[in-house]
Amino acid sequence: MEFYDAAGVLLLTVSAPRAVDANGQSFAGALFDTGIVARVRIICGDAPLSATLAETNVLVTGPDLVVMDDFIYGEPTAAP
């Protein structure tokens, strides 16, 4: 994931580690205490997700498969 501000300046790049647990799953996220993220570019996987790939247990040794869930965004608010 690449996080950009309103001027198009890259603020942060985050890559999820590949297959960090026994199920071949990993997690990536970002938190910003300052600055405003105006755009996020998500680059995900190098193969389509399919039941066949999961059944043959190539999640750890085969292609990089990506499933996305639970995007949570906060809106900036002015300080009182």
Side-chain angles (χ1 to χ4, degrees):
M1 297 177 286
E2 297 173 342
F3 298 85
Y4 296 87
D5 69 8
V9 175
L10 179 64
L11 301 172
L12 178 68
T13 299
V14 176
S15 296
R18 186 172 177 163
V20 296
D21 72 7
N23 294 317
Q25 299 175 357
S26 63
F27 172 81
L31 174 67
F32 293 85
D33 291 328
T34 60
I36 296 175
V37 176
R39 183 171 67 97
V40 178
R41 180 174 181 232
I42 300 172
I43 303 129
C44 57
D46 60 11
L49 186 64
S50 74
T52 304
L53 288 174
E55 289 171 5
T56 57
N57 198 28
V58 296
L59 291 175
V60 175
T61 59
D64 182 17
L65 305 176
V66 176
V67 176
M68 293 184 236
D69 188 19
D70 295 340
F71 289 90
I72 302 169
Y73 298 96
E75 291 293 327
T77 56

